[in-house]
Amino acid sequence: MSAEDNVATIEKIYAAFGRGDVETILDAMSGDVDWATDAAGDDAPWWGQRRGKEELIGFFTGIAGSTDVTKFGVRAIASTENEVLTFIDYGFNRKGSDASVSMHLHHYFRFDAYGKIEYVRSSEDTQLVAQTLAGQPARATSAATS
């Protein structure tokens, strides 16, 4: 697959995320996808490593069950023949409260020879996420001010 094909796949799964269409996202994954959000704790239900499509569902149900996404915008995408890096503006409200947050996310995707995503790592402001999920006031981040 070409770098352009891989970027198109990422754009497709991001659009699916915005619609809550997990099936389209899973269709883009290899059967043994290795997906993780780099975090030292377990304060967010989507943190941790997941292997395979069945475990990956927990990532999306964790987000949907605890937050309402208020912002998801791609700032930049860089790609090679089998990798895509993205820089995202992201925000959410904690369900059932006024606690909200805005931050940047970084996503790294690696594609297999068949054009399926086989490896994903993401990073976020884990301290800010934990505070927001605990109902504590969020501090401003560069995503909130830029």
Side-chain angles (χ1 to χ4, degrees), residues 9 15 32 45 49-50 57-59 62 64 67 69 75 77 86-89 110 113 116 118-120 126-127 141 145:
T9 296
D32 61 348
Q49 186 171 16
R50 290 169 170 79
I57 292 169
F59 173 85
T67 71
V69 176
R75 287 190 142 218
I77 296 180
T86 62
F87 184 59
I88 308 293
D89 284 332
R110 187 176 67 219
K116 297 290 187 179
E118 65 180 358
Y119 183 86
V120 179
T126 55
Q127 181 180 10
T141 67
T145 59

Side-chain angles (χ1 to χ4, degrees), residues 12-13 16 19 22 25 44 57 65-67 76 80-81 83 99-100 108 125 129 138-139:
K12 180 179 175 181
I13 67 168
R19 296 188 308 271
V22 175
I25 297 168
I57 292 169
S66 60
T67 71
T80 67
E81 188 173 300
E83 299 170 309
S100 65
Y108 169 79
D125 187 331
V129 169
R139 61 176 167 76

Side-chain angles (χ1 to χ4, degrees), residues 1-14 27-29 77-86 109-117:
M1 304 301 286
S2 71
E4 293 81 14
D5 291 333
N6 295 338
V7 167
T9 296
I10 299 306
E11 289 172 340
K12 180 179 175 181
I13 67 168
Y14 282 166
D27 286 345
M29 302 297 143
I77 296 180
S79 63
T80 67
E81 188 173 300
N82 69 335
E83 299 170 309
V84 175
L85 300 165
T86 62
F109 300 90
R110 187 176 67 219
F111 289 77
D112 66 16
Y114 305 101
K116 297 290 187 179
I117 298 168

